[in-house]
Amino acid sequence: MRAEHDRRTVLADAAIELLASGGMRALTHRGVDARAELPVGTTSAYFRTRKALITKAVQRLVELDAEDLRQVALAADGPLLAPPRAGLLGPAHLDQLADATAAFVDHMLGPGRVRTLARYHCILETVHEPELREILRHGDAARAQMCALLTAAGIPRPRAEERARRHLACVDGLIFDRLTAPPGTVPTPGTPQSRDDLREAVRGLLEIAVSGERALPRGSSARPAPPTV
């Protein structure tokens, strides 16, 4: 059973690499066999249909994303896991959140780039395969954590849920923007410049998420005015 589980994981990882390099058109049973350096027919023996193969690849993406998010939260001394107890998200806590989020985004653009590209191809596939939407829920844990932080800061839950969703949608847009930017127009992932630039962008998004409630802007003791539209 262990060997079968490991073989399925190897095939799923190979499928993710194919998705990243060639999109959905590249994802074939023979293609996965070749990428995994396994005999022809191995992938079809474990995943009889293409949909079953895509489903396993998506499940593997969710699994790896969840582990990355957990590691980032732990490395950040828990600001993503432990909501503030003072009833507000102050500047220091927002800075911690910005640091942790910037680290995660930088990772997804650098070491996690292959997985990020594969994820976007899978997201597009959900337009044609609605049943995959329930599987590709890589953002659920992050949304729950962000909602918990905003709720602990005194924002009523319905608004906290909506603000958490919008904030993480903006972060996802930031990842997409950096991923598709022409070479040389954005800092190279993994560099201090990339982390600093991402931290500043995320810090601004966080201030928007908590503005008009009980959070404090950086370096200020006054309550921020509601944003104008």
Side-chain angles (χ1 to χ4, degrees):
M1 183 64 71
R2 173 71 178 178
E4 180 177 345
H5 172 76
D6 290 345
R7 182 61 58 85
R8 287 176 176 272
T9 299
V10 168
L11 293 171
D13 289 342
I16 290 170
E17 292 176 6
L18 276 178
L19 284 168
S21 62
M24 281 293 172
R25 291 183 179 181
L27 188 64
T28 65
H29 287 81
R30 283 181 174 268
V32 174
D33 288 339
R35 180 58 64 99
E37 299 182 343
L38 292 170
V40 173
T42 301
T43 303
S44 60
Y46 284 90
F47 307 104
R48 299 301 301 171
T49 66
R50 189 166 182 271
K51 181 180 292 186
L53 178 59
I54 294 172
T55 298
K56 178 60 180 178
V58 168
Q59 290 173 335
R60 179 67 171 156
L61 282 170
V62 173
E63 173 189 326
L64 293 171
D65 281 354
E67 177 59 22
D68 274 357
L69 185 62
R70 189 182 74 84
Q71 292 297 330
V72 168
L74 292 175
D77 251 349
L80 297 182
L81 299 175
R85 296 183 178 180
L88 56 82
L89 288 173
H93 204 86
L94 291 185
D95 286 339
Q96 282 184 304
L97 283 169
D99 286 343
T101 307
F104 180 74
V105 171
D106 191 64
H107 174 81
M108 298 312 291
L109 295 171
R113 178 183 174 87
V114 166
R115 203 188 321 151
T116 303
L117 288 168
R119 183 184 309 105
Y120 282 124
H121 284 297
C122 288
I123 290 172
L124 289 174
E125 187 69 8
T126 65
V127 175
H128 309 290
E129 301 289 348
E131 60 268 31
L132 290 180
R133 294 175 188 169
E134 289 303 309
I135 301 171
L136 194 65
R137 302 179 69 90
H138 66 277
D140 281 4
R143 278 190 290 272
Q145 290 170 354
M146 188 65 190
C147 181
L149 286 163
L150 296 177
T151 302
I155 299 176
R157 188 164 187 84
R159 288 210 302 274
E161 290 176 347
E162 180 61 19
R163 291 185 183 212
R165 185 190 65 80
R166 291 179 181 176
H167 171 74
L168 292 170
C170 289
V171 171
D172 201 42
L174 178 62
I175 294 174
F176 184 82
D177 177 73
R178 297 303 173 89
L179 195 67
T180 58
T185 60
V186 295
T188 303
T191 63
Q193 292 81 5
S194 177
R195 290 283 289 273
D196 290 345
D197 194 58
L198 289 169
R199 185 184 300 110
E200 182 178 353
V202 172
R203 186 56 161 77
L205 292 174
L206 284 168
E207 289 178 349
I208 292 173
V210 301
S211 63
E213 299 287 346
R214 300 177 63 184
L216 301 176
R218 190 199 306 265
S220 171
S221 59
R223 175 175 173 173
T228 58
V229 179

